[in-house]
Amino acid sequence: MLESFLKDLSELVNLDCGTANAAGVTRAAEIMKRHYDSIGFHTELVDLGPEVGKGLFATNRPGAEHYDILFNAHLDTVFPDGTAAARPMSREGNEVHGPGCSDCKSGVLAIFYAIRAARPEDLKRLSIAVCCNPDEETSSTHSTAWIEGIARKSTRALVCEAARPNGALVRSRKGSGTYFVTFHGRSAHAGNNPKAGRSAVMAACRFCLEVVKLQDPDGKGTTVSVGTITGGSASNVIPDTCRVAIDTRCWRDEDGDEIDRGLKELAARSWGEDITAELVCQARIPAMPFTESTKELAGLITKAAEMAGFTASWVDAGGASDACHIARAGIPVLDGVGPAGGNFHSDKEFLLVDTIENRTAMITKFLTLI
């Protein structure tokens, strides 16, 4: 199984699949469609618009109104065209290297291998849905509605992003928000008539000192981070514009709502004479909470891991993923159940070979428990 898996993985890894490369991502979807067709699943390439590649939907119950389990993993990577040729998949001991080998092509493939190995009676008994989307690395802007629609028809979900390098699976994730605040002032010569100017940069600085007070890292676990401040044109010019990028994180959506209200209130305040501020929320990703129903699902995965020969451990993650969108549909979902790896989004990305068989077996065993 392992050598077959690695051979199939190389076909995916040695393919440029940056989100913007719609043809490459669609080719990855076509490869997985071929695999699912080979085991008799109904498959379709899903058109999510001209800006992204096709998604893949596969099921053993075409036309079903309900699914016992939804599997998800994404087809795209963050790497530019040419990366696959420059760094094709390679193996060094217990590590596989290559663009997207762990994030998330091994997870995409693990779902298929787990289903292919399932007992016939489980495939006959269960209604299974697989969604592989093309744009997770850009917040799934085009695929969120599609994924959430399938999730609302499902009892539970597993997202096969990679497990942590230590093997831990993900039981909850923080929600996130991306905001931009643009300050508008008035430019002037810094030497001849500085009093005529209204510094947008100084207004932004005053704003930043206040905005971080919205966080409660030691209590609610919320964070508000100023990522960039961009403004001004030269040292001798009072700047008339300045743009601030803000990242927010929360364990509960209601805490994210509270921060959102706080940001709007701050942006509406006066930050200086003749200074205006414009707040734009670029994206908000919901939290993936650890609920009682999620706890029950984690118990099943823990038991399935034992059946597969290893002990599952769990972490709470600060980063977001498609599991957050699925959680918004109101069903229990777990993440990081794919083979383990690390150093994502870099040329040092790796996949741990010795986790491929046991994670795939865990998913197969899980199907016997639901």
Side-chain angles (χ1 to χ4, degrees):
M1 172 272 186
L2 182 59
E3 293 308 314
S4 175
F5 186 101
L6 292 174
K7 179 181 178 181
D8 288 338
L9 182 63
S10 67
E11 185 179 18
L12 292 172
V13 173
N14 295 338
L15 176 68
D16 284 323
C17 289
T19 313
N21 186 338
V25 177
T26 297
R27 178 58 187 149
E30 291 170 344
I31 290 171
M32 293 312 303
K33 182 181 187 302
R34 184 188 75 217
H35 286 310
Y36 282 102
D37 286 341
S38 73
I39 60 172
F41 266 47
H42 168 81
T43 61
E44 59 181 287
L45 297 179
V46 181
D47 189 345
L48 297 167
E51 297 181 19
V52 294
K54 298 290 196 299
L56 172 71
F57 179 72
T59 181
N60 62 334
R61 295 284 188 276
E65 292 298 318
H66 177 78
Y67 301 102
D68 296 293
I69 178 67
L70 164 63
F71 290 105
N72 166 257
H74 63 91
L75 298 162
D76 60 322
T77 73
V78 300
F79 300 103
D81 290 352
T83 304
R87 293 193 293 106
M89 186 175 124
S90 62
R91 180 177 178 180
E92 189 174 332
N94 191 42
E95 293 186 359
V96 163
H97 299 270
C101 64
S102 192
D103 182 22
C104 179
K105 293 177 180 180
S106 60
V108 169
L109 199 58
I111 297 171
F112 167 72
Y113 267 74
I115 292 173
R116 189 177 71 172
R119 302 182 308 181
E121 57 264 40
D122 293 327
L123 294 177
K124 182 178 180 179
R125 175 174 53 87
L126 298 172
S127 181
I128 300 170
V130 180
C131 290
C132 295
N133 54 315
D135 60 342
E136 191 271 349
E137 297 295 2
T138 53
S139 300
S140 300
T141 304
H142 297 82
S143 62
T144 294
W146 170 54
I147 295 171
E148 288 186 4
I150 302 298
R152 284 191 289 271
K153 297 168 61 175
S154 304
T155 300
R156 57 187 72 82
L158 296 178
V159 175
C160 289
E161 291 274 9
R164 292 298 192 261
N166 66 357
L169 291 70
V170 179
R171 66 179 190 176
S172 69
R173 286 186 178 273
K174 282 188 173 182
S176 67
T178 302
Y179 296 83
F180 295 96
V181 187
T182 303
F183 292 85
H184 300 278
R186 186 164 65 234
S187 62
H189 193 289
N192 291 333
N193 59 339
K195 291 183 179 180
R198 300 291 183 265
S199 175
V201 168
M202 291 301 297
C205 290
R206 289 191 289 268
F207 174 87
C208 290
L209 291 174
E210 292 299 314
V211 77
V212 294
K213 295 179 182 178
L214 296 175
Q215 66 183 350
D216 183 13
D218 297 324
K220 298 176 181 177
T222 56
T223 58
V224 179
S225 305
V226 176
T228 62
I229 302 178
T230 308
S233 58
S235 62
N236 61 350
V237 178
I238 304 299
D240 62 352
T241 60
C242 187
R243 190 176 192 237
V244 178
I246 298 168
D247 176 273
T248 70
R249 305 277 167 163
C250 60
W251 289 117
R252 304 185 308 163
D253 288 337
E254 49 264 43
D255 294 332
D257 293 338
E258 181 180 345
I259 292 174
D260 185 81
R261 290 191 295 270
L263 286 166
K264 291 175 180 176
E265 179 185 332
L266 285 175
R269 289 185 189 177
S270 173
W271 296 100
E273 183 182 356
D274 297 329
I275 298 284
T276 61
E278 176 189 3
L279 173 71
V280 175
C281 177
Q282 184 186 64
R284 277 193 64 187
I285 299 176
M288 170 191 155
F290 187 58
T291 64
E292 283 301 315
S293 57
T294 308
K295 183 178 181 180
E296 181 180 349
L297 181 58
L300 293 175
I301 287 292
T302 298
K303 183 175 181 180
E306 292 175 356
M307 295 167 68
F310 73 101
T311 301
S313 60
W314 299 91
V315 295
D316 302 303
S321 82
D322 284 321
C324 297
H325 299 300
I326 292 171
R328 182 161 54 189
I331 66 170
V333 55
L334 296 171
D335 201 350
V337 299
N343 290 340
F344 312 134
H345 298 191
S346 79
D347 59 359
K348 296 179 175 57
E349 179 179 1
F350 66 88
L351 165 69
L352 295 176
V353 175
D354 62 1
T355 66
I356 292 173
E357 290 180 299
N358 61 25
R359 299 312 162 107
T360 304
M362 175 188 72
I363 298 170
T364 302
K365 298 296 184 183
F366 168 77
L367 295 177
T368 72
L369 302 175
I370 60 175

